[in-house]
Amino acid sequence: MAGPRGPGAPAARWKRHIVRQLRLRDRTQKALFLELVPAYNHLLEKAELLDKFSKKLQPEPNSVTPATHQGPWEESGPDSDQVQSLATLKVKWQEEEEGLRLVCGEMAYQVVEKSAALGVLESELQERRNRLAALEARVVQLREARAQQAQQVEEQRAQNAAQREAYGALRAQAGLQEAALRRLQEDARDLLERLVQRKASAAAERNLRNERRERAKQARVSQELKKAAKRTVSISESPDALGDVMRERTETLALAPEPEPLESKACEKWKRPFRSASATSLTLSRCVDVVKGLLDFKKRRGHSIGGAPEQRYQSIPLCVAARLPIQAQDVLDAHLSEVNAVRFGPNSSLLATGGADRLIHLWNVVGSRLEANQTLEGAGGSITSVDFDPSGYQVLAATYNQAAQLWKVGEAQSKETLSGHKDKVTAAKFKLTRHQAVTGSRDRTVKEWDLGRAYCSRTINVLSYCNDVVCGDHIIISGHNDQKIRFWDSRGPHCTQVIPVQGRVTSLSLSHDQLHLLSCSRDDTLKVIDLRVSNIRQVFRSY
């Protein structure tokens, strides 16, 4: 029965070939030997026959008469001729017998030689049979080992299938948990927004009530001040009496519990002795000024009640003067070709540069100098973008070989390759965690990546190819060749906002507070965009 085809099939074929060759040689030599044996038997038979003839031809001693007994006068008769012919035949047969004996000896010697050769061949055949038996035993062992390995392979396949199913179940469970976590985060965010709105509304109501109360108090104070302004104080009154009067007025002027320093200063000012009747007249304007000063003091001390800060939006500093640097602090021949990307680490003590020579150099920033730290190799194409993760221990680079690659600081070779784009990758940035990243490409897609599994979790199709991306808390901002900046919600599939600019967008940078965006475009301008109002706040131009 033919065994299953496998790695042992060629070995079985050459073994069968050797066995066939040995059997063929044995048959050939056996045939020669079988031909030699009948010839030898035939010679033996001839020798025996000749021996018999020779014995018959020998004359009997009594019947043979020697020729010497005949006298010269005796005539030879027919008997003498017969005896002479018999002698001649005897000599002839003796010569033939001697030749046959020589031939029989030679044949016997050949038989001995052939027998010795046959013994040698039989020993070789026995040895080869032993080797063949050993090889067959080895084949049996190998087949048993192959069967065991095949069984192990089947067990491994079954185990891999079980693990794959378990992995799929874990992935599904993880997806459900991520969805549940996302829903919980959205619910928490909604609750927080509602809480903030309720606090803001409550603060607005309290401020409105306080404002009404302040206005009513201000109206009462104005009336009291008008009454006090109509009364004049005589110089004949003593300072103590005047002080009592003024104390009564200050008690009337009290709007709320005021700070002690300002009240004491006002009372001391009013308690000073008056030198003339004109100086003792408190005009309405003077009293109003005093009340306004008290109110302004209360506002400065923060007595207004509210759940939000008084200044709703922070102001952005404006550039009033700009100049170009006139001298470089340090110049290095970093790359063999042009430098395409430069990026500082999170603590600004490490600098990464990437170039067209497919290398990324890391530099230590020491004062105003750069010192070589490490070279990252293994990029499949020219480097177009580099970025550090928030911890500063990983470097992500975009390359021209339609992929982004991930390195670990301290290791020269690439750790992961993010493949999936169909054209050059122009931007690769980490999100706010080191486990997620975003890439943009000229194939008009923006992709989100799970770096733990090197898996593309989301693909965003855009009408124009992407030149740069930046990431916020739950937002992805991409700059495109169609002179537009697009905003994408990480939790939703659609574009949430589009800001048109003049010129193709080449680079983006997001501030640390995520309130302002700096864009660079091909119209030789830098634009500062306020993300709270989605408006361009300032434009820097080159002349």
Side-chain angles (χ1 to χ4, degrees), residues 28-44:
T28 304
Q29 293 178 355
K30 186 176 180 181
L32 293 175
F33 182 73
L34 292 176
E35 291 177 0
L36 184 61
V37 169
Y40 179 69
N41 293 333
H42 186 62
L43 288 175
L44 290 178

Side-chain angles (χ1 to χ4, degrees), residues 162-372:
Q163 291 181 355
R164 192 179 297 109
E165 292 177 358
Y167 176 69
L170 289 175
R171 284 190 60 184
Q173 186 178 1
L176 294 175
Q177 291 180 354
E178 289 179 356
L181 177 61
R182 193 178 298 110
R183 288 195 298 270
L184 290 176
Q185 290 177 350
E186 292 177 356
D187 294 341
R189 194 177 299 107
D190 295 338
L191 290 174
L192 182 60
E193 291 178 357
R194 282 186 287 177
L195 179 61
V196 171
Q197 291 176 358
R198 290 183 180 180
K199 285 187 175 180
S201 61
E205 292 177 358
R206 293 181 63 183
N207 287 335
L208 182 59
R209 289 197 299 269
N210 292 337
E211 186 178 357
R212 291 175 179 173
R213 191 181 298 112
E214 293 295 335
R215 288 178 180 176
K217 289 182 179 180
Q218 187 174 1
R220 288 196 300 270
V221 169
S222 299
Q223 294 177 359
E224 294 293 335
L225 289 176
K226 288 179 181 179
K227 293 179 181 179
K230 293 178 181 179
R231 181 179 177 181
T232 58
V233 180
S234 176
I235 58 174
S236 61
E237 294 181 358
S238 63
D240 295 335
L242 183 61
D244 295 336
V245 173
M246 297 309 296
R247 277 194 295 272
E248 293 177 359
R249 298 305 180 194
T250 55
E251 290 176 358
T252 306
L253 291 173
L255 301 177
E258 302 294 337
E260 287 296 326
L262 188 60
E263 287 185 355
S264 60
K265 289 180 182 179
C267 293
E268 290 177 357
K269 183 176 180 180
W270 291 347
K271 288 179 181 178
R272 288 199 300 265
F274 297 95
R275 296 182 179 179
S276 63
S278 61
T280 60
S281 298
L282 294 176
T283 61
L284 179 61
S285 61
R286 175 61 179 169
C287 294
V288 172
D289 292 338
V290 172
V291 173
K292 285 184 178 181
L294 293 174
L295 295 176
D296 292 338
F297 180 78
K298 286 181 64 179
K299 289 183 179 180
R300 286 195 302 269
R301 290 298 299 270
H303 286 279
S304 61
I305 300 173
E310 295 179 2
Q311 188 175 3
R312 184 175 180 81
Y313 299 119
Q314 298 178 359
S315 61
I316 178 173
L318 300 178
C319 178
V320 296
R323 65 183 181 88
L324 295 175
I326 59 176
Q327 184 178 1
Q329 295 183 351
D330 194 9
V331 179
L332 295 174
D333 293 331
H335 293 267
L336 300 177
S337 184
E338 62 267 16
V339 179
N340 297 331
V342 178
R343 188 74 172 183
F344 277 101
N347 54 2
S348 299
S349 63
L350 195 64
L351 178 71
T353 60
D357 56 357
R358 303 184 179 185
L359 296 177
I360 298 175
H361 293 291
L362 301 182
W363 309 86
N364 292 326
V365 181
V366 181
S368 59
R369 295 181 297 104
L370 296 178
E371 296 181 356

